[in-house]
Amino acid sequence: MKRITIATLLLAYSVLSFAQSSVGSGRKQLFDYNWKFNLGDDSLARLRDFNDNAWRNLDLPHDWSIEGSVSPKNPTGGAGGYFPAGIGWYRKTFKVATEWKGKSVSVYFEGVYMNSEVFINGKSLGIRPYGYSSFRYDLSPYLDFNKENVIAVRVDNSQQINSRWYSGSGIYRHVWIDVTNPLHLADWGVAITTPEVSSKQASVQVKATVKNETDFPQHIAVNTRLLSGSFKDAGNNTTKVELPAHSEKEVTQIKKVSKPLLWTPETPYLYQAQIQVLKGNEKIDETKTSFGIRSVKFTPEKGFQLNGKTVKISGGCVHHDNGCLGSAAFDRAEERKVELMKAAGFNAVRTSHNPPSEAFLEACDRLGLLVIDEAFDGWRIGKNKHDYSVYFDKWSKRDLETMVLRDRNHPSIFMWSIGNEVVERNKPEAVVTAKMLAGIVKGIDSTRPVTSAIVKWGNDWESLDPLMAAHDVCGYNYQLQGAPADHKRVPSRVIFQTESYPRDAFANWKLVQNNNYIIGDFVWTAIDYLGESGIGRWYYSGDVPGEHWENDFFPWHGAYCGDIDLTGWRKPISHYRSMLYNDKEKLYMAVREPKPEPLEIKETWWSVWPTWESWTWPGFEGRKLDVEVYSKYPKVRLYLNDKLLEEKPATVNQEFKATFSVPYTPGTLKAVGVENDKEIESTTLQTSGSAAKIRLIADRKQLLPNGQGLSYVSIEITDKDGVLQPNASNRLQFKIEGPGVIAGVDNADVKDTDQYTGNSRKAWHGRAMVVIRSTHNAGDIKLTVRSAGLSDATIAIKALTH
């Protein structure tokens, strides 16, 4: 629940006041600005009068691990991408407004990785081990209205290894100050459901918990107003309530909405519930909660039905990092991940293996991406010495409740996941744990099914039937081929694949299409990520052999199994998968990297053959190259320099692929989709000349000067005619002028050990990327990119207040 949405705050220029060391008098206020940070441990840093003048000034969100160098000596190892970890402290000094006297003041952290302890003026408020949980503390008893106050946060990520992927370190999500009257709506106290949904009418049920923290009984009214797009009134209800002193009460209101705009991935319509607590004519408290009107149903006969219509899931798993930004959850970075997945044809995401940021879920709501919200990677038996298993017994109930309470109003969420590949899956206690966790979820939200990702190598899935039965929907990791046999044994089971190998896209698609009880597939993964170093790796003869990511493949420090790389470029497998599930894209061409004889290319479990959008292969003249064309047209013709080479079928019998063996000759390669003997659509690859120019493309030309705005600038090295030079690996130098900073640099090569923060990066396959972050000043930002032997390139971005 948000008293003011992130988007609203970031659009408001007033947030700039937080760059100063004072806090205003609004309700919910962003608390990200003007923190002090120091890497290292000092117990005295908790004290108010501690001297932090030598500490670094920064704004949140912040991840200190991404600022370091990858090294095989770092304790995170291959699992954590060989990044540094350790212990760090954050401090923020602030004054409080006199209007806060007599009010409830709390600090809300969306996520701190990990083992955080928060202090106010030297007083410890509490510890939260799990780095993905949101939490808040009451500051009211400890605030000093006459002096400056200090919040200090100790973050301990030193106990390694505690994660199987890159976690990042620090206060990597937003922090807020929340100010309410003693009579107010409870934190996460609004629950919105839509029990009845049709195109003609829907019922919206709003439950609001009101708290009276005064010493007297209170007579109040709760008013709920529903608003549709453009803030059009969709109805309101008012309920009178009597609250005894120091009590709370849940108020339920139901409103009928005629001709509702239904939420789907294609039409992600959102409504807003404005809930006010009124005492007489005075507004005591107010929340604004976005929601969608939609229904979900799961049956083996009709699969997953959204608003009564069967939907097949084309899903992707994602970890929480943002590539060169590390785990820092800037709103724009989280939104961009959703945009990339939508553009790649996905309609669903699994937040493997932890709750995501609030900004990510808000983007899924707004842009239309179904979500499986996942709580844990494991339960009581650990996968690493210092992972969540250490905290499970004490903290799992609270962490799971936090996830469901925080996220339950998001229409994008259609399933809750309670775990992933738990080690104890074959033991009876796993069934007990699953039932316990599912019960916690259902106690808060019974409108969505509970699932988890289950794996078993081999064919003996029958032994897992008791564990499967503790779930509403059963997630299979990498074993969807066993679903038909399981369906015969347990016909009531609803099945989907929670993780799959990228190369199995067609086989999985076919299983999904041909069996109603299989609702979809989630590939591992949608987007490349840091850590789990070596997943998706291919290698050449003579390199260190090995299939599994647990081996040491340094300098590999990330996973290359994503459909989308770390710069946002869609790999060929992405275009193929999208074609299987969608009709928006019908023709694509790429070339399989030839074996560098006498060496061979070796694949691994999560890899696909390295394939590139390139017809530039110097040294291979006259040698046959495999050209792959993915097509939804029944036939494909291939031309080289306007000469027809061959026509081939590309139907479902050919798995929508046509592969041509073509002797390499520089020029223009053209693939044409053919239907009824007519050439309908074409795509080309052009041989590039020598690298000559740098092309810059920014996804945002205007940013708000709020310290949070991001512009992703793609860098392409081209020949003199503007054709991408796919073999270019030039060293690039970056210079920024004006009110902006370089937040990160990348080239998608997870073997490149250059730092992700800096002013230089090599191109990889002709591409690189710079992420520009706004400061707190308006003006013109200019990025200049230079490389020896190439013409300089510049791009202008404006930081504007409106």
Side-chain angles (χ1 to χ4, degrees):
M1 182 182 74
K2 289 189 178 302
R3 301 187 187 279
I4 302 176
T5 64
I6 292 175
T8 302
L9 280 165
L10 293 183
L11 286 171
Y13 184 57
S14 60
V15 298
L16 298 182
S17 65
F18 286 94
Q20 311 302 317
S21 57
S22 63
V23 177
S25 58
R27 284 293 176 83
K28 186 165 183 182
Q29 307 172 18
L30 196 61
F31 206 55
D32 282 353
Y33 301 117
N34 203 32
W35 286 76
K36 293 272 195 171
F37 170 73
N38 187 59
L39 185 56
D41 197 11
D42 188 337
S43 62
L44 297 179
R46 73 188 189 280
L47 301 176
R48 176 154 58 165
D49 58 358
F50 178 82
N51 186 349
D52 58 15
N53 289 337
W55 285 22
R56 173 182 166 194
N57 289 295
L58 55 76
D59 294 340
L60 305 177
H62 175 243
D63 170 12
W64 80 68
S65 289
I66 198 65
E67 299 171 345
S69 299
V70 296
S71 168
K73 297 180 180 179
N74 283 327
T76 57
Y82 304 99
F83 283 86
I87 298 173
W89 278 86
Y90 296 83
R91 287 168 53 90
K92 181 172 171 65
T93 301
F94 65 102
K95 293 179 179 178
V96 295
T98 56
E99 305 95 278
W100 289 8
K101 287 185 178 180
K103 295 189 177 182
S104 176
V105 181
S106 61
V107 61
Y108 174 59
F109 292 85
E110 291 192 14
V112 182
Y113 201 91
M114 62 176 291
N115 284 312
S116 65
E117 184 171 10
V118 180
F119 302 84
I120 176 68
N121 298 330
K123 168 68 177 177
S124 176
L125 297 173
I127 295 172
R128 192 73 177 222
Y130 196 32
Y132 301 107
S133 272
S134 301
F135 57 92
R136 71 175 68 235
Y137 297 116
D138 183 13
L139 302 179
S140 306
Y142 315 106
L143 292 176
D144 190 330
F145 284 81
N146 300 313
K147 297 180 181 179
E148 289 186 324
N149 296 264
V150 176
I151 286 183
V153 184
R154 182 180 186 266
V155 185
D156 185 355
N157 195 20
S158 63
Q159 299 299 307
Q160 294 292 334
I161 296 171
N162 59 50
S163 176
R164 295 190 302 115
W165 56 89
Y166 177 86
S167 66
S169 305
I171 308 178
Y172 69 104
R173 292 176 180 170
H174 291 303
V175 182
W176 304 82
I177 289 288
D178 201 0
V179 183
T180 67
N181 286 296
L183 186 62
H184 62 93
L185 289 151
D187 301 325
W188 297 324
V190 173
I192 303 174
T193 57
T194 52
E196 298 175 4
V197 175
S198 74
S199 58
K200 293 181 179 180
Q201 182 175 275
S203 62
V204 178
Q205 177 178 276
V206 180
K207 291 184 176 182
T209 301
V210 188
K211 299 185 74 171
N212 177 14
E213 295 179 337
T214 73
D215 295 328
F216 306 97
Q218 300 288 341
H219 300 276
I220 62 168
V222 176
N223 176 261
T224 299
R225 185 184 179 201
L226 303 184
L227 300 174
S228 62
S230 304
F231 296 99
K232 183 180 178 182
D233 201 326
N236 65 84
N237 282 351
T238 301
T239 303
K240 293 182 179 180
V241 181
E242 292 186 11
L243 275 175
H246 299 289
S247 69
E248 65 180 49
K249 184 173 289 187
E250 184 179 78
V251 179
T252 300
Q253 298 172 327
I254 297 177
K255 175 64 183 174
K256 301 291 185 181
V257 178
S258 298
K259 297 181 180 178
L261 301 172
L262 303 186
W263 190 96
T264 72
E266 297 76 27
T267 60
Y269 294 119
L270 293 176
Y271 288 75
Q272 186 182 78
Q274 293 184 354
I275 304 170
Q276 296 179 340
V277 179
L278 305 172
K279 186 171 176 59
N281 294 324
E282 182 183 0
K283 182 174 69 176
I284 302 297
D285 195 14
E286 181 179 33
T287 66
K288 299 175 182 178
T289 304
S290 294
F291 69 97
I293 296 177
R294 57 60 172 158
S295 67
V296 296
K297 186 177 181 180
F298 298 77
T299 63
E301 293 78 21
K302 295 186 177 180
F304 165 53
Q305 291 176 285
L306 181 64
N307 304 324
K309 297 179 180 178
T310 297
V311 174
K312 294 293 188 178
I313 297 298
S314 173
C317 301
V318 295
H319 276 312
H320 71 293
D321 74 85
N322 284 306
C324 65
L325 302 179
S327 61
F330 294 97
D331 288 5
R332 172 57 194 150
E334 300 293 275
E335 176 187 61
R336 181 174 177 265
K337 278 194 292 197
V338 180
E339 289 177 349
L340 291 173
M341 289 191 66
K342 289 283 290 185
F346 291 106
N347 64 6
V349 60
R350 172 176 170 237
T351 68
S352 43
H353 305 291
N354 48 263
S357 73
E358 295 183 37
F360 182 79
L361 292 175
E362 287 165 0
C364 291
D365 290 344
R366 189 176 65 255
L367 300 176
L369 192 67
L370 291 159
V371 178
I372 297 177
D373 201 354
E374 191 155 272
F376 313 116
D377 182 37
W379 296 342
R380 289 187 174 87
I381 300 179
K383 300 173 183 177
N384 285 298
K385 182 178 180 181
H386 301 287
D387 66 14
Y388 190 73
S389 61
V390 177
Y391 311 105
F392 184 86
D393 282 330
K394 182 177 180 180
W395 286 96
S396 60
K397 181 177 186 294
R398 191 183 310 184
D399 287 330
L400 185 57
E401 287 174 341
T402 292
M403 181 184 84
V404 180
L405 284 169
R406 189 197 73 169
D407 297 345
R408 59 184 168 177
N409 293 321
H410 289 282
S412 56
I413 296 174
F414 74 121
M415 279 194 273
W416 303 109
S417 173
I418 55 175
N420 171 67
E421 296 184 353
V422 296
V423 178
E424 60 266 46
R425 57 187 171 267
N426 283 307
K427 298 182 178 181
E429 53 263 38
V431 180
V432 176
T433 303
K435 289 179 178 179
M436 180 268 292
L437 295 175
I440 292 170
V441 173
K442 294 300 180 68
I444 300 171
D445 174 38
S446 60
T447 69
R448 300 173 175 93
V450 172
T451 189
S452 75
I454 300 174
V455 69
K456 184 175 180 66
W457 306 112
N459 297 318
D460 182 25
W461 277 77
E462 189 171 353
S463 64
L464 292 175
D465 284 351
L467 181 58
M468 294 277 188
H471 299 77
D472 301 308
V473 178
C474 298
Y476 286 37
N477 275 10
Y478 306 104
Q479 300 293 323
L480 195 63
Q481 69 274 9
D486 285 2
H487 174 67
K488 290 180 181 179
R489 187 178 72 256
V490 189
S492 61
R493 182 177 296 173
V494 179
I495 297 170
F496 73 110
Q497 190 157 226
T498 25
E499 293 178 24
S500 66
Y501 297 116
R503 66 163 66 100
D504 292 339
F506 180 83
N508 292 325
W509 170 83
K510 195 171 181 180
L511 281 167
V512 171
Q513 299 306 308
N514 293 340
N515 300 283
N516 289 339
Y517 57 88
I518 301 177
I519 67 171
D521 174 44
F522 285 77
V523 68
W524 191 270
T525 56
I527 304 173
D528 285 348
Y529 56 95
L530 301 174
E532 281 191 297
S533 306
I535 283 188
R537 166 182 179 262
W538 75 90
Y539 61 98
Y540 304 99
S541 305
D543 289 348
V544 177
E547 291 279 350
H548 209 263
W549 72 94
E550 291 176 349
N551 294 334
D552 185 355
F553 296 126
F554 190 85
W556 286 83
H557 58 275
Y560 197 72
C561 53
D563 279 20
I564 304 163
D565 74 18
L566 286 177
T567 66
W569 180 70
R570 291 178 62 191
K571 302 174 191 175
I573 186 64
S574 169
H575 297 270
Y576 180 61
R577 187 184 320 282
S578 181
M579 267 186 222
L580 292 175
Y581 287 91
N582 306 282
D583 289 322
K584 294 180 180 178
E585 186 177 11
K586 301 184 72 173
L587 190 69
Y588 177 84
M589 175 171 57
V591 178
R592 288 166 62 92
E593 183 175 315
K595 297 176 182 178
E597 294 178 350
L599 303 181
E600 293 186 340
I601 295 175
K602 306 284 188 178
E603 289 194 68
T604 57
W605 290 350
W606 282 270
S607 73
V608 294
W609 192 277
T611 306
W612 310 99
E613 294 173 354
S614 172
W615 193 241
T616 305
W617 300 95
F620 288 90
E621 285 79 6
R623 188 171 150 189
K624 288 186 176 181
L625 304 184
D626 288 334
V627 177
E628 287 191 344
V629 180
Y630 313 143
S631 174
K632 277 292 187 74
Y633 297 101
K635 294 180 181 179
V636 172
R637 292 172 185 165
L638 189 69
Y639 294 83
L640 178 58
N641 295 326
D642 294 326
K643 180 183 177 182
L644 177 62
L645 299 180
E646 197 172 357
E647 178 181 282
K648 285 192 172 186
T651 68
V652 66
N653 294 328
Q654 290 79 37
E655 302 184 0
F656 304 111
K657 288 182 181 180
T659 302
F660 301 85
S661 183
V662 182
Y664 175 61
T665 301
T668 302
L669 193 67
K670 181 172 73 171
V672 180
V674 178
E675 197 165 34
N676 297 323
D677 290 327
K678 291 184 179 180
E679 296 189 350
I680 307 297
E681 181 185 351
S682 66
T683 183
T684 62
L685 294 173
Q686 176 71 45
T687 303
S688 176
S690 300
K693 297 179 180 179
I694 300 172
R695 181 163 55 221
L696 305 181
I697 305 166
D699 73 339
R700 293 288 188 277
K701 287 292 190 74
Q702 293 185 357
L703 303 175
L704 287 174
N706 57 13
Q708 302 271 350
L710 301 179
S711 177
Y712 286 78
V713 181
S714 299
I715 302 167
E716 297 178 347
I717 297 177
T718 74
D719 66 9
K720 61 182 178 58
D721 298 318
V723 178
L724 179 76
Q725 173 42 264
N727 303 319
S729 58
N730 303 54
R731 168 67 64 180
L732 303 166
Q733 303 292 336
F734 313 125
K735 179 183 177 183
I736 194 161
E737 301 169 85
V741 296
I742 294 176
V745 296
D746 204 348
N747 61 8
D749 181 4
V750 291
K751 303 181 297 299
D752 187 338
T753 57
D754 280 0
Q755 284 187 252
Y756 287 93
T757 56
N759 58 8
S760 178
R761 193 77 173 182
K762 284 184 177 179
W764 191 58
H765 290 283
R767 294 183 174 89
M769 183 179 72
V770 172
V771 183
I772 295 173
R773 179 181 179 183
S774 67
T775 64
H776 296 279
N777 298 312
D780 294 331
I781 304 168
K782 185 173 81 168
L783 174 69
T784 302
V785 181
R786 296 188 173 95
S787 183
L790 305 181
S791 303
D792 291 359
T794 63
I795 195 166
I797 296 164
K798 292 184 178 294
L800 301 173
T801 58
H802 299 289

